[in-house]
Amino acid sequence: AKIIEIAKRLSLQAAKGGAGGERLCDKHQEALKLFCEEDQIPICLVCRESQAHRVHAVVPIEEAAEEYKEKFQAHVQILKDRREKLLGLKVVEEGKSL
C-alpha cells in the first residue's frame, strides 16, 4: 500500500509539473530533483543541505520513480499470479460441487 501511495504521489507530481515544467519546492522555489528516502518526499537541492535532510539518503527523483515503478510492477505480477491460482481453484471446486 505504501509503494502504491508513493507511486501515485510521484505520478501526480509529474502530472502537476505540466508540459515540460518542473514542480517547485514550496519553501525555496527550486526544482524538486531529489527524493528523500527517509521521509518519502521529493526535495530540492537546497532542502538536501538543510538540517531536515542532511543525514538522510537521497536519490535523483527519476531513479526513485523508476525503482518504485519496478516494485509496483512486481507486486502487481504477484497479485496476478495469485488471482490466476485462485480462479483455477474456483473452477476445480465448482467442478467438484457439480
Side-chain angles (χ1 to χ4, degrees):
K2 187 166 181 119
I3 291 172
I4 292 170
E5 179 187 328
I6 292 167
K8 283 181 183 177
R9 194 177 329 148
L10 288 173
S11 64
L12 281 175
Q13 288 165 359
K16 286 180 183 177
E22 292 181 319
R23 188 147 177 254
L24 300 178
C25 174
D26 293 334
K27 228 183 223 183
H28 306 107
Q29 299 306 307
E30 295 283 331
L32 298 172
K33 294 186 176 204
L34 301 171
F35 186 75
C36 176
E37 293 186 328
E38 179 93 14
D39 294 329
Q40 302 286 299
I41 57 169
I43 60 173
C44 71
L45 295 170
V46 178
C47 287
R48 169 67 175 121
E49 297 306 316
S50 70
Q51 288 286 347
H53 301 282
R54 187 175 297 153
V55 296
H56 296 171
V58 296
V59 295
I61 199 159
E62 296 85 8
E63 187 178 312
E66 189 61 34
E67 179 184 332
Y68 281 103
K69 181 180 175 184
E70 289 171 7
K71 286 181 182 180
F72 180 71
Q73 288 173 339
H75 286 286
V76 167
Q77 188 58 48
I78 290 168
L79 292 173
K80 282 181 181 179
D81 294 344
R82 286 182 183 171
R83 182 177 184 268
E84 291 286 323
K85 184 177 178 182
L86 289 172
L87 288 175
L89 291 172
K90 179 183 173 191
V91 168
V92 168
E93 291 302 319
E94 285 175 346
K96 286 181 183 178
S97 68
L98 291 175

